[in-house]
Amino acid sequence: MYASCGAFAVIRLCMYFTGYFTLCGTVRLGNRELLCMGLSFVLPRSLWGFAIAIFPLAKNTGLATALPRRVSGPGAV
């Protein structure tokens, strides 16, 4: 089984990893920097989950409901 991913998504992912690797290589990592980098990774995902819980249309018609329906439909593994 393979995952299907678009070319632009792969390019964006490579750019993200390159930028993150460059940042890690150039910044002297102390406690504050590690905390900031950790929060920058966790905060957007937390806000996305919070938005799904708060906004009424996100629960019923948004991407969070479209993906599980597509996965559990006919032809799902």
Side-chain angles (χ1 to χ4, degrees), residues 1-69:
M1 188 170 123
Y2 63 92
S4 60
C5 186
F8 289 109
V10 171
I11 292 169
R12 174 123 176 145
L13 188 65
C14 289
M15 289 175 54
Y16 175 80
F17 284 138
T18 303
Y20 201 77
F21 178 73
T22 305
L23 179 67
C24 289
T26 57
V27 174
R28 187 177 309 180
L29 295 177
N31 289 337
R32 292 177 94 185
E33 289 82 10
L34 286 174
L35 178 66
C36 184
M37 288 175 72
L39 287 177
S40 71
F41 185 74
V42 172
L43 188 63
R45 287 147 183 87
S46 302
L47 290 176
W48 183 66
F50 183 70
I52 289 175
I54 294 299
F55 298 134
L57 287 178
K59 293 179 188 176
N60 300 328
T61 61
L63 182 64
T65 54
L67 287 176
R69 270 189 260 142

